[in-house]
Amino acid sequence: MGIRKIVEDASEAIADLVLEFVTDRKSLERRLAVEGAEVDAVLLDAGLPSLSSGDALPLFIEKLVPRRIAVLVARETGQGYARRLALAGASGIFPKDTSPETLGHALKAISNENTIWIGRIDPLPRTDRRDRLSERELQVLVGICDGLQNKEIAHGFDIQEVTVKMHVRSIIRKLGAKNRTHAAMIAMDRGLIG
């Protein structure tokens, strides 16, 4: 089901919200770039071709923050990817088969500065949302959890070892960890990597 149909079915619950549809990423970026554009919340379809590859959607969400972002995902979307979207700044993540009434109320709540999670996506602790890791930091964190040394992580991403060290320091600071081993333990406990 397309995003327009989903939102139209939810229209009774969101009757007082001004809705605007854009069909692709470039149109949305142009719309948001208009000076004085009052856009409180954005509902993204994770299946858009320009956003569906690997890191494209989390990186795009990071660009849209501090706007409130809701994302419609396929029911089979994994917890790890959903958490990456949340860490990037998504205010809500909803399966596409969420009932129109429930989605409508959630969109209304999101536009009022609330964070809503529906379906099988667990909410993140508030500290995880405040101290968001960048996409590259998450990638480095996966390497740390896999027991890789900085040199090996750098080689895997074709970046300098000093850059990896910078990311490791940032990860440790953001997670409130004592060292890289402690950061890996925190990441595993919080389910930050999938």
Side-chain angles (χ1 to χ4, degrees):
M1 182 182 309
I3 197 167
R4 182 180 291 271
K5 175 73 171 131
I6 292 168
V7 173
E8 285 172 356
D9 288 349
S11 62
E12 188 174 314
I14 55 175
D16 57 340
L17 294 181
V18 176
L19 301 176
E20 189 172 333
F21 291 95
V22 291
T23 57
D24 58 58
R25 177 181 177 162
K26 288 191 189 293
S27 299
L28 177 60
E29 287 174 330
R30 278 194 301 271
R31 172 65 181 103
L32 295 175
V34 172
E35 193 169 328
E38 293 187 23
V39 179
D40 293 324
V42 176
L43 177 63
L44 294 173
D45 182 349
L48 279 176
S50 62
L51 296 175
S52 61
S53 65
D55 299 335
L57 185 55
L59 292 172
F60 187 58
I61 289 171
E62 282 182 0
K63 285 175 59 177
L64 296 178
V65 171
R67 291 179 186 90
R68 309 297 287 175
I69 313 300
V71 184
L72 287 175
V73 298
R75 172 61 68 181
E76 59 275 3
T77 297
Q79 285 282 344
Y81 188 67
R83 287 192 181 279
R84 286 172 54 204
L85 297 178
L87 287 168
S91 301
I93 301 168
F94 310 99
K96 287 187 181 181
D97 59 358
T98 299
S99 77
E101 182 180 9
T102 301
L103 181 63
H105 290 299
L107 289 175
K108 200 167 181 180
I110 284 172
S111 69
N112 290 325
E113 300 282 329
N114 295 310
T115 301
I116 302 290
W117 305 92
I118 292 181
R120 59 195 185 92
I121 308 303
D122 299 323
L124 289 169
R126 186 162 296 281
T127 56
D128 288 344
R129 282 184 266 130
R130 186 183 66 237
D131 298 329
R132 291 184 196 104
L133 297 176
S134 71
E135 195 60 33
R136 179 63 84 191
E137 287 169 342
L138 282 171
Q139 293 167 344
V140 170
L141 185 56
V142 168
I144 293 170
C145 290
D146 288 343
L148 300 178
Q149 296 299 316
N150 289 349
K151 182 186 283 188
E152 296 169 305
I153 295 170
H155 180 72
F157 293 115
D158 196 28
I159 58 177
Q160 298 293 317
E161 187 175 353
V162 68
T163 304
V164 174
K165 287 179 184 177
M166 177 191 67
H167 289 307
V168 171
R169 279 194 304 270
S170 179
I171 291 165
I172 289 169
R173 180 183 50 79
K174 288 181 178 181
L175 295 181
K178 297 174 186 165
N179 53 41
R180 63 190 288 133
T181 304
H182 188 216
M185 290 170 39
I186 291 170
M188 302 268 194
D189 286 347
R190 294 184 187 173
L192 298 180
I193 57 172

